[in-house]
Amino acid sequence: MPSRKSKQNGLFSGLAPRRKMEVLGILLMSVASLLLLSIVSHHPSDYGVLQTISPGSYFSVDQSPALRIQNWLGPVGAWVSHLFVYTLFGYMSGVLPLLIILAGWSLFRDKSLAELIWPSVYGIWMMILIGSLLGWFYHVLEVPDSVWSGNTGVALARILQNLTGIGSIVILFILFLVTVLIPLDRDLQKTVDFLKQSWNEKRETVRGWFGSRSSPRVQGPKDPDPSEEVNAPGPSKPERNTDAEGPTIADSFSRNQDAGSHESGETDDELEEILKRSREKEAEQAQIRDAEQKSLDERPDRAVLERSESADSEEDVEISVFVGEGDEEADARELDRKNRDKAKDVPVIKYKFPTMDLLDQPPEKGNQVDMEEIRENKRIILDKLKRHKIEILGINAIVGPTVTLYELEPAPDVKISKIQSYANDLKMATAAHGLRIIAPIPGRAAVGIEVPNSSRETVYIRSVLNTRKFVETDFELPVAFGKTIENEVFMLDLTKMPHLLMAGATGSGKSVGINTIITCLLYKCHPDDLKFVLVDPKKIELSLYRYIQNHFLAVLPGAEEPIVTDTAQVLETLESVCAEMDQRYDLLKMAMVRDIRAYNEKFKSGELEEELGHRHLPYIVVIIDELADLMMTAGKQIEEPIARLAQLARAIGIHLVVATQRPSVNVITGTIKANFPARIAYQVASKVDSRTILDTGGADQLVGRGDMLFTNGGGMTRIQNAFVSTEEVERIATFVGDQKGYKQPFYLPVVKEEAEGIPDPLDEIDELFTAAAKVVILHQQGSVSLLQRKLKIGYNRAGRIIDQLFNAGIVGAYQGSSARDVLIDTEEQLEEIINELGIRS
């Protein structure tokens, strides 16, 4: 007998939920359009006609009274328009059907109705306000038919006038002005300043136009006519602006006229020679200026924001602050819009990406570098090198958030090693901690001296994420670490690294760096495409991310905590990730693809069958916060799964981020270093530690608080890590955790198996157990993929059967990517085991 629920839903059971919303949206838009038509075609005389029509005349053949109604929707439209236009707020009541049309469109396009809350409140308030404002004039003028304000608008205006008198119209006008300005600009003072600036600009334009009309034109010098008298009386010539290059042609003529050049015996040929030399000099100086400007404009992918230079003064230096290509601030809502579109493509859960409002706004003041300090350090460096007989042809200062790079162009006969030998002298002269010399700068014919700024600029995570470079990136796993010494946003794709090794002393910014990586990924990746395995032996650094366990975390089945804090469970977790890696390689082999991206595209297109175990594969990022502690407590065997994952896991979307406070050779072994080409070094205690992590010195000269060096097998890049506060992390995690996520976290495969007995009850042993055992004995190979192919079953079911075969003593223990050993040779031995288990053939 069918249930009551099936009967009730039988009419719409064939429609998908999305289709139902589309139908509802179309109905709402249709009804609202009819309401709008009735309001637009309102006629005051229709209501009087309606009162003369008897109810029975609607069903009679003679409908002559109804034909006198002028509303486009007939009597029904007349009744509706009378209610909305006459009784409520006149024609302004048309706002209500317009809002209903917007709601219907949102349902039709599967948009959230929550986005219409602000427009609806604003529209209804404008309807009431304009209706009351017009009603005030109708009340004062005693207009009988107030079709633009309605009786409700007139009544509200009358009440306000009775309470405040003539002040009522002032109140209504102020409310109307403020309401109009709200959607244009939330800052009223900014609007006032904009209007004042526009007025001043137009006034200056008019003044300049009248000035140009009234002032005499300044003409360039022309060759003098020998027949004219040079000292002839006449109006004085307008004074011409001169540059530092020297006298102009006009100046030469003025001096010749004052001194009476013709009277002293100068000939026409001499005057022509003077003119020729002056023209040649001006042309040469113009070429020099063009060449200097061209050299400044040819800096690749950078725009100069600030420059202070003087060619005539040895005490001035070019100071440049650059913004890289794509580093300009993006629209405040651009990332939110892109993420909203990305979430619609994954209809598994309704997920909202974190918004920029969750991040702290960088302060407008008190976070700048002191330019006077830059100039003083330049003077000290030049003076010190000059005392040591080192000639410098040019110097340029590139200002970064933490350090300033002084580019020195030494004379051709100066040895670079000589400049390096005075590193300690320069450090003492500038009183700087962590001065670093780069000799030479890669790709440039210059020597670099990095001097830390005493007043550092904090790089806030919002200033990094809210850039066009991050918003518009197509990276799979984008990580924006911070800003380089040249003030450019430094961003890489974790899938290209493909693993990251981090080291730094306590308090150098290593934990903030891990939070930066996680925050960047949370702002760009959907939970369906990314999972984290978080290992935190310190138990407090990553504890806030427990809120996102049903969205982004991958855990072991039965784990008490979503974040691994017990060192005894770390080895089991990493071995489980290795098992996930092996399973994924089997799936890629069956799908005949080479990487996770091609596999997911093939699965999304429907080319892979879920019955055979195929599934969508999210990226998995394994983050280990303290490797040295794990090595000390869990033993050296922790190195084996890390090395396996680092060697093999790139193609199937598993990436490692491993951090340690102690970059010694006992922790960062040769095997680990060989498989982690991407490395980050924060401030370390000694040059030995720097060479251990980077294979070169330099990390010991960093100044802490996020100052770091990054290498990916090539050159070295100095970066100021973006700052993410604990409060920001908590807001982001709470925002994600408060949403409805998956029913359970992403479970990793279980690899820890019981030594004795069969954990499954006999009545739960798979019905294909006997057939699977015969296949395994026939091929002498115990693998999941073999059972999938021969029995045509899915991956999960084949894996459970292999576990049951192991517990029954038919196959051996798990051996990683290799197939299990088969422990019996004949079917007679199999029959004995089956009889002992009591399984019916």
Side-chain angles (χ1 to χ4, degrees), residues 612-735:
L612 296 179
H614 292 292
R615 54 193 168 93
H616 174 75
L617 300 180
Y619 286 95
I620 296 179
V621 178
V622 181
I623 297 180
I624 302 175
D625 189 27
E626 185 48 65
L627 181 62
D629 185 71
L630 295 180
M631 289 282 199
M632 184 181 300
T633 56
K636 291 286 291 183
Q637 64 267 28
I638 202 75
E639 182 181 354
E640 180 182 350
I642 293 178
R644 281 203 68 215
L645 291 171
Q647 291 168 353
L648 301 174
R650 173 180 183 175
I652 43 82
I654 299 178
H655 304 277
L656 299 177
V657 177
V658 179
T660 181
Q661 292 182 2
R662 193 181 50 173
S664 62
V665 293
N666 297 328
V667 177
I668 304 178
T669 62
T671 304
I672 292 179
K673 288 181 64 175
N675 294 288
F676 283 81
R679 303 172 198 167
I680 287 178
Y682 294 89
Q683 185 184 34
V684 295
S686 64
K687 293 183 179 179
V688 176
D689 291 342
S690 178
R691 282 193 287 268
T692 302
I693 179 67
L694 296 177
D695 296 328
T696 186
D700 55 311
Q701 298 296 328
L702 301 177
V703 295
R705 293 174 55 195
D707 188 20
M708 69 181 191
L709 291 172
F710 173 85
T711 180
N712 199 11
M716 201 80 60
T717 305
R718 190 166 185 176
I719 308 166
Q720 175 59 44
N721 201 137
F723 175 69
V724 187
S725 66
T726 304
E727 292 77 11
E728 289 174 307
V729 172
E730 185 174 6
R731 288 196 293 266
I732 295 171
T734 304
F735 178 85

Side-chain angles (χ1 to χ4, degrees), residues 71-115:
N71 195 285
W72 296 343
L73 299 186
V76 175
W79 282 108
V80 171
S81 65
H82 179 76
L83 171 64
F84 280 87
V85 178
Y86 181 80
T87 307
L88 294 179
F89 292 94
Y91 286 121
M92 292 305 301
S93 301
V95 171
L96 298 177
L98 288 176
L99 293 177
I100 298 176
I101 291 176
L102 286 177
W105 177 254
S106 298
L107 292 176
F108 181 76
R109 299 292 295 172
D110 195 24
K111 294 183 179 180
S112 175
L113 292 178
E115 299 178 2

Side-chain angles (χ1 to χ4, degrees), residues 543-551 553 730 733-734 736-738:
S543 59
L544 291 175
Y545 296 108
R546 69 177 66 248
Y547 297 133
I548 64 174
Q549 59 177 326
N550 281 12
H551 292 82
L553 297 190
E730 185 174 6
T734 304
V736 175
D738 287 344

Side-chain angles (χ1 to χ4, degrees), residues 246-267:
T248 64
I249 302 174
D251 296 332
S252 300
F253 276 115
S254 298
R255 286 197 299 270
N256 289 339
Q257 291 175 349
D258 295 339
S261 57
H262 277 38
E263 295 177 0
S264 62
E266 285 190 357
T267 64

